[in-house]
Amino acid sequence: QVQLVESGGGLVQAGGSLRLSCAASGRTFSSYTMAWFRRAPGKEREFVAAFTWSSGNTYYSDSVKGRFTISRDNAKNTVYLQMNSLKPEDTAAYYCHTGLSAAAVVRGRGAFWGQGTQVTVSS
């Protein structure tokens, strides 16, 4: 079984930064696509960013491109989401997500989810 544990959320002022972490355990992730999604109150779940572990290719939603950066630490089996220039509209619960199929993961149809970490951006 795969476990994904997010951390790093919190309250920050607009224009500030946060770094989210997703620690993965349970198997080797060399072939997995790792992604971040978010869900704001009253809204649909939204894709934020992803990368393919083996190739290092990254993908971002238009709403965060240029502000957020997804990265990894292979030794720690950890994925990070560096969030800069945060806006109030970035307020949401952020979820780590993974699976073998990149096409499935970027659509939120991969196999595993973390429990989420809350990010609140004040204006």
Side-chain angles (χ1 to χ4, degrees):
Q1 184 69 345
V2 172
Q3 293 84 39
L4 302 174
V5 180
E6 302 97 331
S7 60
L11 174 64
V12 64
Q13 288 188 331
S17 299
L18 282 174
R19 189 178 79 158
L20 305 183
S21 300
C22 172
S25 62
R27 63 181 60 184
T28 301
F29 290 88
S30 59
S31 300
Y32 279 62
T33 293
M34 304 293 293
W36 288 94
F37 282 75
R38 67 187 182 186
R39 176 173 282 162
K43 294 188 176 181
E44 296 290 322
R45 183 179 60 199
E46 176 188 17
F47 168 78
V48 176
F51 79 83
T52 303
W53 203 286
S54 57
S55 68
N57 291 332
T58 58
Y59 311 87
Y60 296 94
S61 68
D62 288 342
S63 61
V64 307
K65 197 173 296 182
R67 300 188 298 120
F68 290 11
T69 303
I70 188 170
S71 63
R72 69 191 187 203
D73 183 328
N74 288 343
K76 296 181 179 180
N77 254 5
T78 299
V79 177
Y80 303 99
L81 185 68
Q82 178 66 43
M83 305 185 296
N84 298 327
S85 302
L86 283 161
K87 305 174 180 180
E89 52 264 43
D90 294 318
T91 295
Y94 283 72
Y95 298 89
C96 188
H97 179 46
T98 190
L100 281 172
S101 167
V105 170
V106 297
R107 289 170 175 79
R109 296 174 182 173
F112 305 102
W113 290 90
Q115 83 289 349
T117 186
Q118 178 67 36
V119 172
T120 303
V121 184
S122 63
S123 58

